[in-house]
Amino acid sequence: MTPERHAHIKELFLAACRMPPKQRPDWLDGRCGDDADLRAEIERLLDQHTAELTIDPPDSQTPESGDSRQPAGSSTSNSALDSIRYHSGDVVANRYRIVSRLGAGGMGVVYRADDLVLGQTVALKFLAPEYAKNPMWLSRFRQEVRLARQITHPCICRVFDIGDVEDTCFISMEYVDGEDLSSLLTRIGRLPSNKAVDIARQICAGLAAAHACGVLHRDLKPPNIMLDGRGRIRITDFGIAALAGHIDRRDIRSGTPQYMAPEQLSGRDVTERSDIYSLGLVLYEVFTGKAAFGANRFRLHETDEDAIPASPSSIVSDVDPDIDRLIVACLQTDPDARPASALEVAAQLPGADLLAAALEAGQTPSPDLIAAAGATQHLNPAVSWGCAAAFAALLAGVCILGTRTYFAEIVGHVKPPAVLADIARKTIEKLGYKDEPADYTYQYTNDLRLSHIGSTHDSPDSARALAAPKGINIAFWYRQGTSPLVPKSASNLVFGNARVTQRDPPPDSAGMISVVLDPDGRLLSFDAFPQGDRASDTTLPALVQNAGVDVSRMTAGPPHVFPPTFADQRQAWSGDLDDRTDLPTRVEAAACQGRLVHLSVTTDANAAELPRNFQAQFRQRVIASAQYGTLLVLVPIGAFLARRHSRTGRGDRDGATKLAIFIVLIRMAAWLLGGRHVPDLLAELELTGFVLIGAVAESALVWVFYMALEPYVRRFWPQSLIAWSRLLTGGTRDPLVGRSILIGGLIGAFWALLFEIDYLAPSWFGLSSRESIRGPDVLAHLLGARGAVVAFFDAVRGAVYQGLLILLLVALLRAAIRRPLVATVVAVALLAPMFVPSGSHPGISGATIGIGCVGTAVWALTRFGLVAVIVSGVVVRLLVFFPFTIDFRVWYADLSIFALLFCVAVVGWGLANSLRGGPTPLHSRLD
């Protein structure tokens, strides 16, 4: 088909559309003559135009009209519109008093009126009587009300209600004191650049709000965009709007042809991207002052030679190149080549704030949208280097104070675990247990029942001893057996990484031996389950002497303790025992068939310390009970919300899955390095299976809570997730992620310094420190490089959970309390009681931990986002729970070096990436 014939067909088709159907055959006979192919093509096009198709030729548009459509095949019904006549002062439906007529269109008339009931000015849109009798048009009129009322947004014209009067229907809607965009462009031509960008951004926001409700406008054009006196726009006329995916194929071509997308005009499909095409045509006129395809031209389908108009820059030379590319992208004939959403269009406008546009549209921004936001949020190089210098200064302070607060140096010299394990084995051999152990394990412990361990006069520095938090009692336990030590407890297997503990497996099998030593290697307790015949006829006192406990100066007495296994000899002694303490000591012992099966060394200090130790244990159990109780309450709620968000597509499945996989990997890595492994293949597989079940169960909980709660954070506080979203998408070297890591390392060092001050401050003011509940956390880091790596994995998991918890609480408070400062203060007040009990003194910890640590955590979350808080949590755990010393001759100096080097590496990584090339262009992220 030649261009000339194509244009001729188009001209005849449009002329025929304006005629009553009865006049078309005679008219076509005269115009087509003997050209049967020409007539057949025109009749085919006319057949595709059913009664649902709306024709809105430019010469019939009324600028003042809010609706300029009429049914295909009908003439402009002036008589019908004239039948709708109201004068100023007339009262309609006993409620609305007419003020003036605003305009008329193809299907009705719009009046300004006063609502006498509510005392507000409204616009009344009357449907012409002949249309009101047509069920199809009456249905569309009601559909307009239903769909428009679903959308609540400042850039959408509000529709209030529908009513009937005499022989017609009317809609009451928001009155916009201004003019439509078509009238404005006709009057002044193209808009100034800054005003055009502002209007474009508002149109995108309104259209995005409609799409967020699943509503396709299908008739977006300048006459349907009103501007009020303040320059705020309203998108009007949802008469042919429809829900996406619910459009009948016969209704696809409804709309105004010169603003239809090619796929809509050809009757193939209509989607959000069809509205994006119409948006591109509107923006074309806004920025150039001219219609994309001329004033009187209609495009029939995408094969038209003029399907892609000239670029705006070819019409107006000073159009911004980014806007020029954006409009051209919107007008691509291929829907997949257009921007995917109105928000994506808004994001590429100059000065765009992607998250603000989404929130303004009343839409929950997607994770990809959040990752694409905040491109300009990067640190100045001078600030980056300043943060690194501040981190170095804080780290020096932590190192200096850490040698005075870490209790392993306060209580005196602590032997390495390998040395203590060797002492335990030699003690066992002295007591007549000669069998070679098939398996053994050991660990430091903080047993609050062993308060006599380590006397204060052993410490070389009384000031340092005074500063030590009470209740930290270092002991060392060693276990061995003639068969592999395999954990049995279900809670330990599933949630404890299947590690052998003092009580798991239960010490009740033949050949099992348990020894507890003090930091200097002196025996504190011994329990054995002997196997075989009688070993010797050695007396019980001699067996106790062989164990290294000198009871020669003590007074014998009746025993009070029952050993865990059968014994044929039991005896106790009390009095002064060597130089362990100035308090009286009690030794309980039991033997069976010439072998020592039980020995325990205690002092009267136990009775004095029991109330204090009980307080520490009680605080620890209350905190744990509160955490588990909260979890049990939240699990069903989280499951319900996660299911709903998953079904509606609001939840970030990809992010939740990546986080869950990360938890499984880090749990299994901790198991491989620090778990209990046995030479029995079946037992090893069983242990691995239990650990995997626990890891999957934990990751499933994480997945559920992330799916349940993350959408609310994206809805009310998406700025906190920008770096997090980029990190989940693999942006480990992104400048914004680097900034968050750098700031997180700095804040973590600051927290660590506050914890050191919290330990020392009571001694500065002459106050006594309360019992510490941190002992197990700190002592777990003393088992060498492998234990340090496992502790690092645990620190990462703990920091992720803690960061997500704080984020959730702050996000919910910010949603409930509209004033951010008040919400922040309330968040600190609620979070502080969760962390202050772990400090050394209520008043001092309230200031250092409650205000200092929790306060800066909430501030960092508000200012820098989730990644910064997680990194700070990892850093503070390394600096506080790892042993610190500047004496590199000490056996645990390598653990100090590990913690320091890792923290320096984290901050160095953040510094290097925060300096990488500045911000990432926004449009490249969206592409």
Side-chain angles (χ1 to χ4, degrees):
M1 182 183 298
T2 64
E4 292 78 10
R5 185 172 180 83
H6 188 187
H8 184 51
I9 292 175
K10 184 191 301 185
E11 180 183 359
L12 294 180
F13 165 69
L14 295 175
C17 286
R18 298 187 183 96
M19 295 182 179
K22 294 181 180 180
Q23 300 177 10
R24 290 175 183 170
D26 294 338
W27 182 82
L28 287 174
D29 287 341
R31 298 303 299 268
C32 296
D34 297 333
D35 193 341
D37 293 337
L38 175 62
R39 178 162 184 158
E41 179 67 17
I42 295 174
E43 288 179 343
R44 183 185 66 81
L45 293 173
L46 289 172
D47 289 341
Q48 291 180 358
H49 280 255
T50 61
E52 292 83 6
L53 180 61
T54 297
I55 299 297
D56 187 7
D59 54 4
S60 69
Q61 292 182 13
T62 304
E64 300 84 16
S65 172
D67 189 327
S68 57
R69 298 185 310 274
Q70 58 182 353
S74 66
S75 61
T76 305
S77 305
N78 292 326
S79 60
L81 299 181
D82 290 342
S83 66
I84 308 174
R85 284 189 178 276
Y86 292 102
H87 300 88
S88 178
D90 291 348
V91 177
V92 178
N94 297 319
R95 177 173 180 175
Y96 302 102
R97 183 169 56 219
I98 300 298
V99 176
S100 63
R101 175 169 165 156
L102 297 176
M107 62 180 292
V109 183
V110 181
Y111 284 90
R112 175 181 175 180
D114 292 330
D115 187 336
L116 300 179
V117 175
L118 300 178
Q120 294 178 332
T121 300
V122 298
L124 299 181
K125 177 180 178 180
F126 291 88
L127 184 64
E130 66 180 48
Y131 300 147
K133 297 176 183 178
N134 187 320
M136 181 196 70
W137 285 98
L138 188 59
S139 174
R140 280 190 171 176
F141 208 58
R142 292 170 179 165
Q143 174 88 339
E144 177 175 1
V145 178
R146 281 194 298 268
L147 294 182
R149 291 182 66 174
Q150 292 181 21
I151 311 168
T152 303
H153 191 270
C155 295
I156 298 292
C157 182
R158 292 173 293 168
V159 174
F160 303 131
D161 205 354
I162 188 171
D164 296 297
V165 60
E166 299 176 353
D167 295 330
T168 189
C169 297
F170 68 90
I171 295 173
S172 61
M173 63 183 71
E174 176 187 7
Y175 169 69
V176 181
D177 185 14
E179 61 182 327
D180 64 61
L181 185 57
S182 177
S183 174
L184 177 65
L185 294 174
T186 301
R187 181 166 53 85
I188 68 172
R190 73 186 184 98
L191 300 176
S193 179
N194 58 342
K195 184 62 178 177
V197 170
D198 180 54
I199 289 178
R201 185 175 294 115
Q202 294 182 58
I203 297 173
C204 291
L207 189 61
H211 289 172
C213 297
V215 176
L216 303 180
H217 191 281
R218 298 207 297 163
D219 200 24
L220 188 67
K221 57 186 179 180
N224 290 340
I225 299 172
M226 299 292 296
L227 282 88
D228 63 17
R230 297 179 299 169
R232 298 289 299 178
I233 71 104
R234 307 286 195 286
I235 298 177
T236 66
D237 197 352
F238 284 79
I240 62 169
L243 294 174
H246 294 77
I247 302 174
D248 190 274
R249 294 200 64 82
R250 297 174 299 172
D251 196 35
I252 287 177
R253 300 178 66 180
S254 294
T256 305
Q258 61 264 50
Y259 289 97
M260 282 186 185
E263 68 275 9
Q264 183 182 2
L265 193 59
S266 63
R268 287 186 289 111
D269 195 11
V270 55
T271 64
E272 287 187 14
R273 294 181 189 249
S274 303
D275 277 351
I276 297 301
Y277 188 94
S278 301
L279 173 63
L281 293 174
V282 172
L283 296 183
Y284 193 103
E285 295 188 35
V286 168
F287 284 95
T288 67
K290 297 182 180 181
F293 295 96
N296 294 298
R297 299 195 60 180
F298 289 76
R299 295 164 299 100
L300 295 181
H301 45 74
E302 68 274 16
T303 60
D304 192 340
E305 62 176 352
D306 295 325
I308 300 179
S311 65
S313 59
S314 66
I315 306 298
V316 179
S317 59
D318 61 348
V319 173
D320 187 295
D322 289 337
I323 294 176
D324 184 71
R325 286 191 294 269
L326 175 61
I327 295 176
V328 171
C330 291
L331 297 180
Q332 294 298 307
T333 56
D334 181 7
D336 293 335
R338 300 170 202 155
S341 67
L343 281 180
E344 188 170 322
V345 176
Q348 300 184 57
L349 292 171
D353 186 341
L354 193 62
L355 295 183
L359 297 178
E360 186 180 357
Q363 185 176 355
T364 300
S366 67
D368 291 338
L369 213 59
I370 293 176
T376 58
Q377 299 180 19
H378 66 290
L379 289 178
N380 183 284
V383 176
S384 296
W385 285 108
C387 290
F391 170 79
L394 290 171
L395 193 60
V398 171
C399 291
I400 294 172
L401 296 181
T403 58
R404 297 180 58 83
T405 57
Y406 189 70
F407 63 84
E409 291 194 6
I410 294 172
V411 299
H413 182 66
V414 179
K415 287 183 168 59
V419 174
L420 292 175
D422 185 64
I423 293 175
R425 282 191 290 267
K426 291 179 178 179
T427 301
I428 293 171
E429 291 176 1
K430 287 181 181 178
L431 294 174
Y433 294 90
K434 304 294 186 179
D435 294 335
E436 186 70 22
D439 197 7
Y440 66 91
T441 187
Y442 49 82
Q443 174 67 278
Y444 288 99
T445 183
N446 175 37
D447 193 340
L448 296 175
R449 297 169 301 174
L450 302 175
S451 59
H452 61 284
I453 301 174
S455 58
T456 56
H457 71 264
D458 288 334
S459 176
D461 190 336
S462 59
R464 291 163 66 184
L466 180 62
K470 293 181 175 60
I472 296 180
N473 304 290
I474 302 176
F476 178 87
W477 59 264
Y478 171 92
R479 295 188 64 183
Q480 72 176 37
T482 54
S483 60
L485 300 174
V486 182
K488 305 293 184 182
S489 170
S491 60
N492 183 21
L493 289 171
V494 176
F495 300 108
N497 280 330
R499 297 168 184 169
V500 175
T501 67
Q502 281 185 277
R503 301 298 174 188
D504 188 25
D508 56 4
S509 300
M512 281 193 178
I513 302 175
S514 300
V515 177
V516 178
L517 306 175
D518 73 3
D520 292 323
R522 293 175 293 190
L523 187 64
L524 297 173
S525 71
F526 176 89
D527 288 289
F529 285 77
Q531 59 183 359
D533 299 330
R534 172 179 292 274
S536 66
D537 295 325
T538 308
T539 62
L540 185 56
L543 292 174
V544 173
Q545 292 291 127
N546 291 338
V549 180
D550 185 6
V551 294
S552 59
R553 296 180 299 174
M554 306 181 72
T555 303
H560 299 307
V561 176
F562 288 95
T565 186
F566 172 77
D568 53 23
Q569 299 182 63
R570 294 174 57 209
Q571 196 168 351
W573 296 266
S574 59
D576 295 331
L577 179 64
D578 53 56
D579 61 348
R580 301 191 189 196
T581 178
D582 295 331
L583 297 173
T585 303
R586 183 174 181 82
V587 177
E588 295 267 356
C592 179
Q593 295 184 346
R595 288 178 177 174
L596 188 69
V597 296
H598 172 73
L599 185 144
S600 62
V601 179
T602 59
T603 71
D604 290 345
N606 288 102
E609 291 292 331
L610 259 179
R612 300 175 64 86
N613 293 335
F614 175 77
Q615 292 174 6
Q617 289 179 330
F618 179 75
R619 284 188 296 120
Q620 196 170 22
R621 290 173 181 173
V622 165
I623 293 174
S625 299
Q627 292 173 344
Y628 286 118
T630 303
L631 183 64
L632 290 176
V633 172
L634 292 179
V635 163
I637 299 175
F640 170 77
L641 293 176
R643 182 174 180 270
R644 187 174 72 176
H645 291 160
S646 179
R647 294 180 62 184
T648 59
R650 290 186 60 198
D652 179 14
R653 291 186 181 182
D654 187 52
T657 302
K658 288 180 179 178
L659 182 60
I661 292 174
F662 173 77
I663 295 300
V664 171
L665 292 178
I666 205 169
R667 276 285 305 269
M668 295 308 296
W671 149 250
L672 291 175
L673 290 175
R676 189 63 187 167
H677 301 283
V678 295
D680 187 335
L681 179 59
L682 292 179
E684 179 70 11
L685 290 176
E686 182 180 4
L687 288 176
T688 305
F690 275 112
V691 175
L692 184 59
I693 291 173
V696 172
E698 182 179 337
S699 66
L701 282 177
V702 172
W703 191 94
V704 166
F705 281 110
Y706 193 85
M707 283 289 292
L709 304 173
E710 186 266 350
Y712 294 107
V713 180
R714 277 193 284 119
R715 175 65 183 88
F716 297 108
W717 195 18
Q719 295 84 355
S720 62
L721 295 176
I722 297 176
W724 173 257
S725 298
R726 294 187 183 183
L727 191 61
L728 287 180
T729 56
T732 55
R733 303 190 66 186
D734 187 275
L736 189 61
V737 175
R739 182 201 72 164
S740 299
I741 292 175
L742 175 60
I743 297 296
L746 176 63
I747 294 173
F750 175 69
W751 290 352
L753 187 65
L754 289 180
F755 273 108
E756 305 297 353
I757 293 174
D758 178 74
Y759 282 149
L760 289 172
S763 65
W764 297 344
F765 298 101
L767 303 173
S768 60
S769 298
R770 62 185 178 186
E771 297 75 13
S772 173
I773 61 176
R774 298 178 178 275
D777 296 323
V778 181
L779 291 169
H781 298 68
L782 287 173
L783 293 181
R786 190 175 70 169
V789 174
V790 173
F792 164 72
F793 288 150
D794 292 340
V796 173
R797 284 173 51 225
V800 170
Y801 295 155
Q802 182 175 298
L804 291 173
L805 172 65
I806 297 175
L807 174 66
L808 167 65
L809 178 62
V810 177
L812 293 179
L813 288 174
R814 291 189 64 151
I817 304 174
R818 296 301 180 183
R819 300 178 64 183
L821 180 60
V822 177
T824 299
V825 173
V826 173
V828 173
L830 293 177
L831 287 169
M834 299 176 61
F835 298 96
V836 170
S838 62
S840 63
H841 187 275
I844 294 174
S845 299
T848 56
I849 299 177
I851 298 176
C853 293
V854 176
T856 54
V858 175
W859 171 80
L861 193 63
T862 304
R863 181 66 180 83
F864 301 105
L866 177 61
V867 173
V869 175
I870 291 177
V871 172
S872 61
V874 175
V875 170
V876 73
R877 282 169 169 79
L878 293 177
L879 295 181
V880 171
F881 292 142
F882 271 67
F884 258 86
T885 181
I886 57 176
D887 184 0
F888 294 144
R889 296 171 298 176
V890 178
W891 63 268
Y892 50 78
D894 58 336
L895 303 178
S896 300
I897 295 173
F898 170 84
L900 288 172
L901 288 181
F902 182 84
C903 293
V904 171
V906 166
V907 172
W909 177 270
L911 174 64
N913 287 293
S914 68
L915 299 173
R916 286 185 68 249
T920 303
L922 189 59
H923 65 271
S924 66
R925 286 193 163 275
L926 291 171
D927 291 342

